[in-house]
Amino acid sequence: MANQRSFSRVRRFLSSPQGAIGTAIVAGVLVIAITANITAPQNPSHQNIPERLQGPNAKHFLGTDEFGRDLWSRIARGSRLTLMCAFCALGIGLFFGVPLGVAAGAGGRTLDLGISAVFDTMLAFPGLLLAMAIVAVLGAPNLENTMLAVGIVYIPRFGRLVRAQVLAERQKEYVDAARALCIGRLSLWFRHVLLNCLTPLIVASTLSLATAILEAASLSFLGLGAQPPSPEWGAMLNSGREYIFTDPQLTYIPGVAIMLTVLGINMVGDALHEGLGGRKVKTG
C-alpha cells in the first residue's frame, strides 16, 4: 500500500505540466553546470580587450563583456557558483534549523519559549536586510560569507516549520505508543516524529532553494557577495549595469539565467506540493 501511494505521488508529479517543465529547466541548468568544462572551455576570467563588447558570433556564442571575456563561459561556469552557494546556504539552514525546531517542539515550555524568541527576533528582519547585516559582521564580502549569511537567515524559517509540525505530531497516538514502549527520546523525535514531517520539509526546502539563489544574487549585485572577476550571476549583473543602455546583453543574459533557474525550481516545488499531498507549507 505504501509503495502504491509513493508510485501514485511520483506519477502525479511527473504528469503535472509544472513538474515536467520545471524538471526540464532544472535538469538543463544542472547539465550546464556539470559539463561547463566541456561546453564552455574558454577561461571565464581571461580578458581580451580587442574583442570587448562583441555580439553573438561563431567564436563567442553569447558575445563578450566589457573586458572581452566570453559570456557563455561565464554563464556556464557561474552556474556552478550560484548553485553551490544556494545549496550550501540551504544545507546550513537545515543542519541547524531542523534540530532546533525539534528541540523547541519536543522540549519543555522554557526551551520552546527561548528558541522561539530567537526565531521570532530573526524573522522580524527582512531576509535580505538580515543577510546584509551578517555579511557586514563577518567582514570582507566574498562567496563564503554569502553562503553563511543566507544559511543563517534560513535557520529560523526551517526551525519554525519543523517546530509546528512536531507540535502537531506529538498529539498523535503513535507518540503515546512509542513512549509506552520506552523508546528513547532521541529515537522517538528524530526517527519517528521527524520522519512524518518530511513532506512539508521537502517542499519548503525546494521552494527555499529558489529564494536562496535570489538572495545570494542580490548580495552579489549589491557588492556584498561574490567579487569580480568571479562569474557568479549576481556579480555579472552588477558589472553589466553600467552598460544597460549601450550593451544590455551584459545585464539581461545573467538576469534571464537567474529567472529561468528560479522559475524551474519554483515549478518543481509547486508540483511537489501537489504530488506529495497538497499540504500547506510556510517557509518564512
Side-chain angles (χ1 to χ4, degrees):
M1 183 66 70
N3 291 334
Q4 290 180 350
R5 284 200 302 267
S6 299
F7 178 76
S8 176
R9 289 172 178 176
V10 172
R11 185 174 59 183
R12 190 188 313 167
F13 169 76
L14 294 176
S15 64
S16 166
Q18 281 186 323
I21 297 173
T23 301
I25 294 174
V26 173
V29 174
L30 290 175
V31 168
I32 290 173
I34 294 170
T35 63
N37 290 340
I38 300 174
T39 60
Q42 298 189 42
N43 187 339
S45 300
H46 175 68
Q47 299 184 12
N48 189 356
I49 300 301
E51 296 184 357
R52 66 190 298 267
L53 299 175
Q54 290 187 357
N57 54 60
K59 184 178 179 181
H60 303 288
F61 174 58
L62 295 178
T64 60
D65 66 3
E66 69 274 22
F67 294 109
R69 297 173 297 196
D70 183 63
L71 275 177
W72 167 246
S73 295
R74 291 181 63 77
I75 287 292
R77 301 290 182 91
S79 63
R80 294 179 176 180
L81 296 178
T82 300
L83 292 176
M84 179 184 68
C85 183
F87 276 111
C88 288
L90 190 69
I92 292 172
L94 288 169
F95 184 79
F96 292 99
V98 171
L100 287 173
V102 173
R109 179 174 176 80
T110 302
L111 182 61
D112 185 17
L113 288 175
I115 295 176
S116 296
V118 175
F119 286 167
D120 292 341
T121 302
M122 296 177 69
L123 291 172
F125 296 92
L128 183 58
L129 180 61
L130 180 59
M132 292 171 61
I134 294 171
V135 170
V137 171
L138 292 175
N142 53 50
L143 192 63
E144 291 75 16
N145 287 344
T146 298
M147 296 178 192
L148 185 57
V150 177
I152 292 174
V153 168
Y154 277 98
I155 291 175
R157 300 183 186 182
F158 289 121
R160 287 297 299 270
L161 173 64
V162 172
R163 172 187 176 272
Q165 294 297 319
V166 169
L167 288 176
E169 291 293 324
R170 68 183 297 176
Q171 307 298 326
K172 296 184 178 179
E173 294 181 356
Y174 77 89
V175 176
D176 295 331
R179 285 171 172 163
L181 293 173
C182 299
I183 293 178
R185 290 179 60 85
L186 289 178
S187 178
L188 169 62
W189 297 114
F190 285 94
R191 291 186 57 188
H192 298 278
V193 174
L194 186 59
L195 189 64
N196 288 303
C197 304
L198 286 183
T199 295
L201 190 58
I202 291 172
V203 177
S205 299
T206 305
L207 297 174
S208 296
L209 181 63
T211 311
I213 292 175
L214 288 176
E215 292 183 352
S218 298
L219 288 174
S220 296
F221 178 78
L222 294 172
L224 297 174
Q227 300 297 304
S230 171
E232 197 274 334
W233 291 346
M236 291 178 64
L237 276 174
N238 185 33
S239 299
R241 63 188 175 89
E242 298 181 8
Y243 302 87
I244 191 169
F245 295 110
T246 57
D247 296 276
Q249 73 274 10
L250 301 186
T251 301
Y252 71 69
I253 288 177
V256 168
I258 294 172
M259 183 271 292
L260 285 177
T261 304
V262 171
L263 175 64
I265 295 173
N266 278 333
M267 293 178 76
V268 169
D270 290 339
L272 280 174
H273 181 212
E274 296 178 3
L276 293 178
R279 289 188 180 181
K280 186 176 179 181
V281 177
K282 298 176 69 176
T283 60

